[in-house]
């Protein structure tokens, strides 16, 4: 019991330092010790060591832990659990499941509901922060906004810099989804001030990712790649989060817009091998540009439904571009329908880490490819509006080029 308790203290210490990956490793060590003892009470103690919020997903992207899911399910049926233990176990169950599994959001919501009844603000803040990672700002804006308001009330009621920072960071995501980069920056500056004052180094490093995002939006691609490399290196050094897949996607998007995607084909193929069948579109685009159209078609044919998470709109836009490049009208029609509800967004800007282009630009290209010129015109005009909001000359130029390529509007 003592060893599990000491490892629990190490988990808390590492989270507060922003070292989320080592914190996860310490918790996993505590779980292994408890398993070796064969005691449900020790396992419960090990799994409930995670009591601090994190802005990013704790596990690697698209990863789950089936063994933990089974174990946590059994622990939740144990008699004699306190409501606090049950709440923390539900939070851990949500984390152990794949984020696209409906049970993950359901468990996370149950944890929030239980935390509300307990009247323990920090526990409520923890579960709200966890649920906010699973309810996407772009795909479920109203639900996200309500959760943000509740987190803000928790932060206001407590002397808790972690929750105050999370509230500012979440407000920045909402501003980005509303195409308001000035408000996004104000929120992040406020978060930076909290992080500096209370030495929340991991949080400060996470917020640095807005620099490559803004550079990508404004077409400053060399700056974007340099800033991205610096931010990812700092986060890796702190043990905050593994962003290798995200970094490869961002660099791929940068080189695609520069007409240099063939230069990063080896990197994209390595990421494809790691995450396949996810991330197929940008891999197919790179293969096609490298003179390997048949291999590009093979990779593109492996596509599965896109994960409904913070990368959804950017991955869908890339799939639309690949469908056009490969002449796949069926895939183009599917992407058009899926992206239409997101037409006013700058794709994935609310991730505060990367952005590709206005969703409306992709919709315009797809509509033109599908021979719907009047719809294309409407989308390109919307893309121009989004470009102006983000002060993006290269997005504005793409929108104007799209309009120029259409037949004259009917009189």
């Amino acid at each position: 019991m003592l060893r599990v308790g000491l490892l629990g203290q190490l988990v808390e210490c590492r989270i507060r330092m922003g070292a989320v990956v080592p914190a996860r490793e310490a918790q996993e060590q505590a779980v292994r010790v408890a398993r070796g003892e064969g005691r449900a009470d020790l396992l419960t103690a090990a799994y409930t060591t995670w009591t601090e919020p994190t802005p990013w997903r704790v596990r690697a992207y698209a990863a789950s832990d089936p063994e933990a899911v089974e174990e946590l399910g059994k622990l939740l049926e144990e008699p004699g659990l306190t409501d606090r233990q049950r709440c923390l176990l539900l939070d851990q169950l949500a984390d152990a499941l794949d984020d696209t599994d409906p049970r993950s959001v359901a468990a996370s919501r149950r944890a929030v509901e239980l935390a509300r009844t307990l009247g323990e603000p920090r526990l409520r803040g923890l579960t709200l922060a966890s649920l906010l990672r699973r309810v996407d700002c772009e795909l479920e804006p109203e639900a996200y906004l309500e959760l943000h308001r509740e987190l803000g009330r928790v932060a206001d009621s407590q002397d808790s810099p972690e929750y105050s920072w999370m509230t500012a960071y979440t407000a920045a995501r909402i501003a980005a989804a509303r195409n308001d980069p000035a408000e996004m920056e104000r929120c992040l500056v406020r978060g930076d001030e909290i992080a500096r004052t209370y030495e929340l180094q991991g949080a400060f490093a996470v917020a640095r990712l807005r620099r490559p995002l803004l550079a990508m939006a404004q077409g400053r691609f060399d700056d974007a790649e340099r800033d991205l490399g610096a931010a990812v290196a700092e986060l890796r050094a702190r043990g905050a989060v593994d962003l290798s897949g995200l970094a490869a996607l961002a660099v791929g998007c940068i080189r695609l817009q520069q007409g240099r995607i063939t230069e990063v084909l080896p990197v994209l193929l390595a990421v494809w091998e790691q995450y396949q069948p996810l991330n197929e579109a940008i891999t197919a685009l790179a293969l096609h540009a490298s003179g390997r159209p048949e291999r590009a078609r093979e990779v593109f044919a492996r596509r599965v439904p896109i994960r409904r998470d913070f990368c959804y709109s950017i991955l869908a836009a890339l799939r639309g571009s690949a469908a056009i490049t490969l002449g796949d009208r069926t895939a183009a029609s599917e992407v058009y329908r899926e992206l239409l509800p997101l037409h006013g967004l700058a794709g994935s800007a609310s991730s505060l880490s990367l952005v590709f282009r206005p969703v409306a630009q992709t919709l315009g290209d797809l509509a033109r490819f599908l021979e719907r010129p009047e719809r294309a015109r409407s989308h390109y005009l919307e893309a121009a509006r989004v470009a102006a909001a983000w002060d993006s000359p290269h997005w504005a130029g793409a929108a104007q080029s799209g309009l120029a390529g259409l037949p004259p509007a009917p009189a």
Side-chain angles (χ1 to χ4, degrees), residues 178-182 217-218 344 346 358 380-397 399-400:
R178 291 174 170 171
N179 297 314
D180 190 347
Q218 294 167 3
Y380 287 138
L381 289 171
E382 176 65 10
R385 185 192 67 79
V386 175
W390 285 88
D391 188 24
S392 177
H394 81 110
W395 286 354
Q400 291 303 317

Side-chain angles (χ1 to χ4, degrees), residues 51-68:
T51 59
E52 298 298 321
T54 57
W56 283 62
R57 179 172 213 278
V58 175
R59 298 185 188 277
Y61 185 72
S64 61
D65 187 342
E67 184 177 11

